[in-house]
Amino acid sequence: MGKVMLEVRNLKTKYVTRFHEDVYAVDGVSFKIEEGKSLGIAGESGCGKSTLALSMMGYYFPPLHYMSGDIIIDGKNISGLDPDEVRKTILGTEIAYIPQAAMNALNPTQKIIRFIEDVVRAHQPKKDKKEIRAMAEQRFAELGLQPGTLDKHAVELSGGMKQRTVIAVSTILNPKVLIADEPSSALDVTSQKMVIKMMRELMEKGYIKSMLFITHELPLLYNVTDDIMVMYAGQIVEKGTAKEMVFDPVHPYSHGLMGSILVPEEGTRGQKLGAIPGAPPNLKKPPNGCRFAERCKYATADCRYTSIPEKPFGDGRMYRCLKGVDELKEVYSGE
Amino acid sequence: MKNTLRQVFHSSKFVAGFVIFVAIILMMIIYPLFNPGNPLEQIGVGTFAKPGTYVSLYDAARTKTDTLRLPDAADNRIAAALTDEDRVAMVEWFTLMGADISDLDTADTDAMIELWHETYDPTARPKGMTNAKINYYKRLNNAIMDLGAADTITIAEYNDEGVLEESKTILDTDYVNTKNVANVKTLPLGTDNFGRDVLKELVSATGTSIRIGLIAGIVATVIGLTFGLLAGYVGGWLDDIIMFITNIFTVIPSFVLLILITYSLGQEQRGAAVVATVIGFTSWTWTARSVRSQVISLRNRDHVNLSKLSGHSLVRIVVMDILPYIASYVVMAFILQVSSGILAEAQLSLLGLGPKTTQVPTLGLMMNWAMLYSAHTNGSWWAYFPVILIITLISFSLNLMNTGLDQVFNPTLRD
Amino acid sequence: MLGMVALFKKAAIAEERNDPKNMKGYRKYFGKKILWFVITFIVAVVLNFILPRLMPADPVAAITGKLAGSGATDAAAVQRIYEHYQEEFGTNKPIYQQFFLFVKNALHGNFGLSFSQYPRPVSDIIGSAIVWTIALQFPAIIVGWLLGNLLGALAAYIRKGFDKVLLPVSLFLSNVPAFGMAVVMLVLFGVYLKIAPISGGYAFDMIPHLSWDFIKSVISHYQLPFWSIVLVSIGGQAVGMRSMSIYELNADYVKYARFLGIKDRKIVGYVFRNAMLPQVTGLALSIGTMIGGALVAEIIFSYPGLGSAMYSAVTAADYPLISATTLIITVMVLVVTFILDIVYGFIDPRVKAAQYE
């Protein structure tokens, strides 16, 4: 087992809406990522996966608020640190973020190199412009980006170029953990491939040591990450290796999610393609029992009232359902 | 629809604007019921009568009196007789005469008069004082002397032979009840330079100005909407031409066009409706621009394409599939047009290019008259301040409503 | 009109082909702007010429008729003026000849003689008025713009209490008509508090000359008109800047920059720069309205600028003066708009990028 790069323990955060209502978007999430590994998080939109990404940065500003839990990066617990300390020593250097809408992630009126200067100097105030430029040019070249990009404004770049630039800028300080929130969802297939290739390269060259990849496209995760977690209504409902999760999902929600997409692999052919009916619960008042019970076709009365803990099984896997693993598999095979 | 309305009325800004606007409209409707008549009727002779209640002296003299012995009546009488200017002049006199005024309170009428008696000398000719000023002090002295001597006023009337005959004596303790006086008139905002009741005029002018704003807004919105829809939906060369015209008229200042057009029309042709229409004709560009850009973003939406495939007519597509989606923008633009129309009328009138003056008052004309007769420099605040306030409030309320709508329909601006 | 549109497109395309790549965006933008400026200018001149002539009556007869009616001048003078203007406007010639005459005269700065101040040339009246207007309005509008943006940005950034007070106040202020603000300022500071003179550009007993006394008089007469224009512009700008800043503060790049550890102070710098840029265009688009309002404010203060010149021209039915002032004001607005557009092109890279699309 490799060195643990990122460990999250029972993390709880909430949103406060403009009507002063609390939305518990991340409700007790725990996981680990080892050095050199990547973890994918899948779920419908609104399940809390993007909030989870923001929450893991350890840097909170309204409307997001930290409640409890630990975020440990390479053995250092960053939750509870002074925000300015987090900003200076953690963000960008220990943990970096690639936002969902990279199209708008760069300041439109600033040259890329000026932004890189600001990023580097936020952590190394003494570094001079020449050094930063040399460093940026080298990294851009290595990642297959033209150094001329540095002297352009964000508005002059195409969508795919913007996204790749954002990835290069995010990782310029060699963070230990990279959190990518749907980095490729808005792109065309070619750009998507380039983005994925770039992220692989970053891992292989050791510029980043671990990665958390968030998406609603499961086939993508299967190709990109080592492990996959499925998130529903602010909680992790199942965790396993990519292969296990795609070909052998246990939780009814994961099962439904796999059924709702086409995976062009053997064994899935002929499987019904159908979205899961219903909508996720209101996270202002999360239900006491299983959060998926309302939409689950296998749910019993007990499911709605019994709080369900994470249940480990198999080789380091976990799921969150009242029913046993075998019981569930039997039901699925009967369909 | 219902839901949208509920959302709109949840916006505090919209509600605040709406309440102010409705209050103004209600005033416009209700006040004439209590005070009917022609708002341009000249009830006063002379300019700028102060706000207040006017009691007919003629009728009061003939009204049955009651006797009231009020302890401070004499003091009030003396205090009212000495204006602030008189008091300043008196202090000036005291200083010239070298009197000790260190403890003097100008509001203390008794002390002032006492000191006056001590220091006034009709023969004194202070150095550098003009004759006019000396005569002024003489008159002031007479007035002050009269104050002390006041006891009764005798009213005499000509009898049948044409000889004056005493008919009535008025004591300083005689009072009339205003309810018994045949003619009492309250002018809450006094009269203007022509002797018109300002409040009545203001209410009528507000109505006219809002109508001018509405006409201007409707004209501008109809033109802007038509152009915007054609340019956006039909596109092609029609779009090029319309945008060409729109861009030009965006840059050429509309008030210059307004001045040229209204001046060319001449005084006789300039009714309120004509001025309003001209204002509308010079302010449609914003509506055209925003409608066009909205329509362009809409015209390739699925529901529009579906309608096209179904062979629906252009008019039907525009009315059923486009208009509902841009309605909020059009309403917002319309609100702004109304408010700027009212302002444009006011500015034109101040330049002397407003509606013909004989028919109706407008807010701009009232402002123009007040300025022509120097209401602002002679202290007649009631002739101009309410006008400014009403224009500001109308425009403020309309803009508040607009901001409220904007926040509902453009959530990114939401707080 | 169609031909002109095609011409404009062709010019734009040709430019795109010929230019070196790096400056292409800018060249195209500026080329477009210059072309628009020229076209708009021509249209403005045509309108200025044609609108008064659309009226049924012969303008010269109408003018001199008014003059004779007012009894301001004796019959001989009216006759002289009538002949002078028939010659000047060439009302007996075909309309296109009249137009070229009009353009030729305007180009030479010859706007004829004023009726109300006969025989003073209109160009002379305008020449002395325009200095006052430019000296009053541009500093006032710029100061109002700067202060408004500053307050708007503060309101957006601080929010809470400051914003709660500032927003309604700014909204209210922005809705006070310019002339209303002028009257209120005049009465408050001029009539009641007596801390500034209320009328004219300098003391009425002075003749313009270069002396300390005269400059002092000019400065003290400058205060009320200046601040009343500033106050009105502040409100509108503050409201606009506030919503632009709030919009920008919620932009994705703010969040991203924060997560890369950049200091909030630096990010606020990005935000305000970006919010400020559209405000430049906003100023370009509203400068016409602002100048219009400020001209009326001039009338209130009898400030010796174009507004007062126009006012006296209207009251005295001084047609040549009206025609010339409106033309000059249009040109002024066009030039300012053009300059602002050009400045904007340089400071906002988005403009350059947009030209490639």
Side-chain angles (χ1 to χ4, degrees):
Chain A
M1 209 171 134
K3 192 172 160 203
V4 176
M5 269 298 133
L6 174 69
E7 182 174 4
V8 172
R9 280 193 212 135
N10 204 18
L11 185 65
K12 290 185 183 184
T13 60
K14 66 176 179 186
Y15 268 120
V16 179
T17 68
R18 64 193 195 104
F19 303 110
H20 307 289
E21 297 157 320
D22 292 343
V23 179
Y24 303 99
V26 174
D27 200 0
V29 169
S30 309
F31 62 88
K32 279 180 198 168
I33 310 178
E34 289 163 20
E35 183 166 1
K37 294 277 181 182
S38 58
L39 171 65
I41 300 184
E44 294 166 289
S45 58
C47 72
K49 57 192 194 306
S50 286
T51 315
L52 177 62
L54 299 180
S55 304
M56 271 179 316
M57 305 301 293
Y59 192 63
Y60 305 93
F61 42 85
L64 186 61
H65 294 267
Y66 169 78
M67 290 166 71
S68 64
D70 298 303
I71 301 158
I72 299 149
I73 299 172
D74 198 12
K76 185 179 180 188
N77 193 338
I78 67 162
S79 47
L81 278 184
D82 175 54
D84 202 50
E85 180 75 18
V86 172
R87 182 189 68 68
K88 239 187 272 174
T89 62
I90 308 292
L91 297 179
T93 57
E94 298 284 298
I95 187 166
Y97 176 75
I98 297 173
Q100 195 167 20
M103 297 301 120
N104 309 315
L106 293 165
N107 178 359
T109 62
Q110 196 181 29
K111 282 187 181 169
I112 307 297
I113 184 68
R114 293 286 105 74
F115 184 58
I116 294 177
E117 281 165 14
D118 286 348
V119 173
V120 174
R121 282 191 178 160
H123 306 285
Q124 302 159 9
K126 297 242 168 70
K127 212 151 197 160
D128 74 20
K129 284 192 180 186
K130 266 188 200 155
E131 276 178 278
I132 297 172
R133 190 174 187 102
M135 178 175 142
E137 272 176 0
Q138 197 204 339
R139 177 63 62 86
F140 269 52
E142 250 181 279
L143 294 174
L145 289 163
Q146 289 192 341
T149 314
L150 288 172
D151 288 310
K152 288 197 171 155
H153 292 96
V155 281
E156 297 170 77
L157 303 177
S158 69
M161 275 300 286
K162 259 188 226 170
Q163 182 60 285
R164 288 160 67 202
T165 307
V166 165
I167 296 171
V169 173
S170 290
T171 54
I172 197 134
L173 296 165
N174 304 341
K176 289 176 181 150
V177 181
L178 180 66
I179 296 176
D181 187 0
E182 312 239 6
S184 60
S185 305
L187 302 174
D188 59 276
V189 182
T190 326
S191 304
Q192 249 183 22
K193 277 187 182 152
M194 286 175 100
V195 164
I196 301 300
K197 189 175 147 248
M198 196 167 162
M199 315 245 321
R200 281 220 183 103
E201 260 173 26
L202 283 166
M203 284 283 265
E204 278 159 19
K205 291 185 174 160
Y207 292 135
I208 55 174
K209 295 208 165 61
S210 62
M211 180 166 72
L212 187 75
F213 196 102
I214 295 171
T215 185
H216 62 269
E217 295 167 272
L218 264 165
L220 193 68
L221 282 188
Y222 177 68
N223 290 328
V224 174
T225 63
D226 303 314
D227 296 326
I228 294 179
M229 303 196 297
V230 171
M231 197 167 176
Y232 184 76
Q235 294 179 331
I236 305 295
V237 293
E238 188 174 352
K239 188 158 55 180
T241 65
K243 200 165 181 186
E244 287 166 344
M245 291 301 293
V246 173
F247 297 109
D248 182 27
V250 168
H251 192 280
Y253 178 66
S254 325
H255 183 72
L257 208 59
M258 298 306 148
S260 72
I261 51 159
L262 271 178
V263 183
E265 300 282 342
E266 43 171 341
T268 56
R269 212 170 293 157
Q271 206 168 316
K272 260 185 289 173
L273 177 77
I276 309 162
N282 183 350
L283 289 180
K284 287 170 196 168
K285 286 188 201 99
N288 290 328
C290 173
R291 296 188 174 185
F292 187 58
E294 284 296 321
R295 294 167 76 185
C296 183
K297 53 183 170 179
Y298 319 109
T300 56
D302 268 2
C303 293
R304 293 171 207 269
Y305 305 106
T306 318
S307 152
I308 300 152
E310 298 188 353
K311 291 169 24 181
F313 73 101
D315 182 17
R317 290 182 70 178
M318 176 286 276
Y319 78 120
R320 209 189 260 264
C321 180
L322 202 58
K323 296 189 196 303
V325 176
D326 296 333
E327 191 184 346
L328 285 166
K329 283 189 176 168
E330 201 170 313
V331 176
Y332 300 150
S333 64
E335 282 180 359
Chain B
M1 186 66 198
K2 210 174 158 191
N3 195 32
T4 314
L5 272 182
R6 190 180 305 138
Q7 246 185 323
V8 166
F9 277 93
H10 267 222
S11 153
S12 58
K13 288 197 187 89
F14 181 87
V15 171
F18 188 74
V19 167
I20 299 175
F21 193 72
V22 167
I24 293 172
I25 299 280
L26 282 180
M27 177 196 87
M28 229 170 74
I29 296 169
I30 293 171
Y31 186 77
L33 300 179
F34 291 104
N35 192 354
N38 175 11
L40 289 184
E41 191 185 355
Q42 302 188 358
I43 55 169
V45 176
T47 61
F48 300 127
K50 273 189 190 171
T53 300
Y54 288 78
V55 180
S56 161
L57 198 56
Y58 183 84
D59 293 326
R62 288 157 181 271
T63 307
K64 188 182 88 59
T65 58
D66 296 298
T67 302
L68 295 177
R69 299 187 188 283
L70 302 177
D72 48 357
D75 290 347
N76 286 342
R77 208 164 279 140
I78 295 167
L82 285 186
T83 65
D84 286 344
E85 280 158 38
D86 292 337
R87 285 165 205 264
V88 173
M90 282 164 79
V91 172
E92 211 175 299
W93 181 268
F94 299 151
T95 328
L96 283 171
M97 290 296 125
D100 175 27
I101 54 166
S102 51
D103 292 336
L104 187 69
D105 175 9
T106 51
D108 183 349
T109 312
D110 284 343
M112 291 283 284
I113 290 181
E114 197 178 319
L115 195 59
W116 181 259
H117 286 310
E118 280 171 27
T119 56
Y120 185 69
D121 173 7
T123 58
R125 287 271 178 281
K127 216 189 284 172
M129 189 178 275
T130 59
N131 272 333
K133 195 91 192 202
I134 288 168
N135 288 333
Y136 164 78
Y137 280 116
K138 270 187 190 153
R139 282 198 302 278
L140 185 62
N141 185 53
N142 291 342
I144 291 170
M145 290 307 164
D146 279 353
L147 285 179
D151 41 10
T152 62
I153 293 173
T154 305
I155 293 181
E157 284 173 89
Y158 289 103
N159 63 12
D160 297 341
E161 284 99 50
V163 177
L164 268 181
E165 187 180 294
E166 183 183 321
S167 66
K168 197 171 186 180
T169 306
I170 301 174
L171 302 177
D172 60 354
T173 53
D174 282 348
Y175 286 80
V176 295
N177 187 328
T178 50
K179 280 188 185 134
N180 298 334
V181 180
N183 286 297
V184 176
K185 175 76 181 165
T186 302
L187 296 171
L189 291 174
T191 69
D192 71 358
N193 51 296
F194 300 115
R196 297 164 182 159
D197 178 347
V198 171
L199 183 57
K200 202 193 229 178
E201 202 183 350
L202 184 71
V203 169
S204 161
T206 306
T208 318
S209 283
I210 289 180
R211 271 191 289 272
I212 289 178
L214 286 176
I215 294 177
I218 289 169
V219 171
T221 305
V222 167
I223 300 177
L225 188 59
T226 314
F227 276 13
L229 283 172
L230 284 175
Y233 190 75
V234 180
W237 58 270
L238 195 60
D239 185 23
D240 286 345
I241 295 180
I242 292 176
M243 280 322 286
F244 181 80
I245 299 172
T246 310
N247 281 338
I248 286 176
F249 283 96
T250 311
V251 185
I252 295 178
S254 58
F255 75 93
V256 167
L257 291 180
L258 262 183
I259 288 170
L260 283 174
I261 297 174
T262 45
Y263 182 75
S264 307
L265 281 174
Q267 173 83 13
E268 281 315 304
Q269 304 295 318
R270 282 203 305 264
V274 174
V275 170
T277 312
V278 174
I279 294 174
F281 265 104
T282 56
S283 56
W284 50 269
T285 49
W286 287 112
T287 312
R289 274 166 168 259
S290 61
V291 167
R292 174 180 172 270
S293 63
Q294 290 299 316
V295 172
I296 285 177
S297 73
L298 275 172
R299 77 177 163 201
N300 284 323
R301 292 258 187 97
D302 290 343
H303 72 278
V304 179
N305 282 333
L306 199 65
S307 277
K308 273 189 220 163
L309 288 175
S310 318
H312 291 161
S313 69
L314 179 95
V315 176
R316 191 184 154 150
I317 294 176
V318 165
V319 173
M320 303 295 290
D321 300 321
I322 304 246
L323 274 185
Y325 291 85
I326 58 170
S328 64
Y329 286 87
V330 177
V331 169
M332 285 192 281
F334 174 72
I335 290 178
L336 290 184
Q337 305 277 18
V338 172
S339 129
S340 66
I342 292 170
L343 189 68
E345 184 277 327
Q347 294 193 341
L348 271 185
S349 296
L350 271 175
L351 268 171
L353 291 171
K356 205 157 39 166
T357 51
T358 48
Q359 294 170 332
V360 281
T362 68
L363 291 171
L365 289 172
M366 286 185 74
M367 196 67 203
N368 187 29
W369 293 325
M371 293 299 108
L372 278 177
Y373 286 83
S374 305
H376 53 314
T377 48
N378 65 25
S380 312
W381 58 267
W382 56 91
Y384 61 86
F385 190 72
V387 181
I388 297 175
L389 193 66
I390 284 283
I391 294 180
T392 309
L393 280 179
I394 293 175
S395 160
F396 181 57
S397 64
L398 289 172
N399 274 292
L400 270 182
M401 284 195 256
N402 189 61
T403 314
L405 288 176
D406 210 12
Q407 282 175 349
V408 172
F409 293 114
N410 297 327
T412 39
L413 294 177
R414 243 177 234 179
D415 298 3
Chain C
M1 211 69 108
L2 253 182
M4 235 193 280
V5 177
L7 193 82
F8 156 60
K9 276 202 166 163
K10 218 180 263 174
I13 291 164
E15 213 162 1
E16 198 175 358
R17 279 202 204 106
N18 298 337
D19 280 355
K21 204 168 187 296
N22 57 343
M23 278 303 284
K24 196 172 82 181
Y26 282 129
R27 288 249 179 112
K28 195 170 160 191
Y29 176 76
F30 295 139
K32 243 189 213 173
K33 287 291 166 195
I34 291 171
L35 198 66
W36 268 113
F37 176 73
V38 173
I39 292 173
T40 318
F41 183 78
I42 293 170
V43 174
V45 172
V46 171
L47 282 174
N48 212 66
F49 167 80
I50 218 152
L51 280 177
R53 282 170 180 75
L54 284 179
M55 297 310 116
D58 165 16
V60 177
I63 295 154
T64 40
K66 263 181 207 155
L67 272 183
S70 69
T73 32
D74 57 279
V78 170
Q79 186 58 32
R80 263 207 320 279
I81 294 171
Y82 184 84
E83 280 159 14
H84 175 79
Y85 275 99
Q86 209 165 27
E87 181 65 23
E88 198 90 323
F89 294 143
T91 35
N92 38 5
K93 291 177 192 151
I95 194 110
Y96 72 92
Q97 281 190 17
Q98 289 183 40
F99 179 68
F100 287 117
L101 197 66
F102 170 86
V103 172
K104 198 184 100 193
N105 286 340
L107 282 179
H108 289 115
N110 174 11
F111 298 103
L113 302 182
S114 160
F115 291 163
S116 53
Q117 302 178 40
Y118 191 82
R120 197 173 166 204
V122 167
S123 53
D124 184 36
I125 301 176
I126 290 195
S128 60
I130 196 169
V131 180
W132 291 98
T133 292
I134 289 176
L136 172 67
Q137 296 203 359
F138 290 104
I141 288 174
I142 288 168
V143 170
W145 185 80
L146 286 174
L147 287 179
N149 280 327
L150 191 69
L151 283 176
L154 280 177
Y157 187 56
I158 300 175
R159 309 301 295 276
K160 301 266 162 21
F162 188 60
D163 189 31
K164 279 224 167 65
V165 179
L166 202 80
L167 181 65
V169 170
S170 306
L171 255 179
F172 189 81
L173 265 187
S174 67
N175 287 299
V176 178
F179 63 83
M181 184 59 79
V183 173
V184 170
M185 296 276 286
L186 184 150
V187 171
L188 199 63
F189 296 104
V191 177
Y192 284 113
L193 298 175
K194 292 191 171 59
I195 54 176
I198 57 171
S199 143
Y202 47 87
F204 62 91
D205 54 357
M206 278 182 171
I207 302 162
H209 63 292
L210 206 67
S211 78
W212 186 229
D213 277 350
F214 182 71
I215 292 168
K216 261 205 304 210
S217 173
V218 166
I219 290 174
S220 70
H221 281 77
Y222 190 73
Q223 298 306 316
L224 288 183
F226 177 79
W227 289 110
S228 68
I229 297 172
V230 168
L231 269 184
V232 171
S233 345
I234 282 182
Q237 296 301 329
V239 175
M241 181 66 177
R242 176 184 169 275
S243 58
M244 272 321 294
S245 301
I246 289 176
Y247 180 82
E248 290 284 337
L249 276 169
N250 291 324
D252 289 327
Y253 68 83
V254 171
K255 198 161 78 180
Y256 181 55
R258 272 184 162 161
F259 278 144
L260 282 173
I262 294 176
K263 272 189 196 157
D264 270 9
R265 211 185 306 149
K266 194 139 219 157
I267 297 174
V268 167
Y270 301 168
V271 165
F272 291 146
R273 187 185 140 91
N274 290 347
M276 198 90 162
L277 290 171
Q279 290 289 94
V280 176
T281 327
L283 183 66
L285 290 172
S286 60
I287 195 92
T289 320
M290 285 166 99
I291 289 183
L295 286 173
V296 180
E298 273 187 13
I299 301 174
I300 303 289
F301 290 105
S302 313
Y303 206 74
L306 288 173
S308 300
M310 184 139 69
Y311 177 67
S312 54
V314 170
T315 25
D318 189 343
Y319 173 76
L321 190 52
I322 294 177
S323 171
T325 28
T326 47
L327 189 61
I328 291 294
I329 292 166
T330 311
V331 171
M332 236 163 71
V333 173
L334 287 185
V335 169
V336 174
T337 313
F338 178 68
I339 294 174
L340 283 173
D341 275 346
I342 295 299
V343 168
Y344 185 63
F346 271 116
I347 55 180
D348 193 340
R350 282 173 285 198
V351 164
K352 192 174 119 189
Q355 305 306 312
Y356 292 113
E357 281 163 12

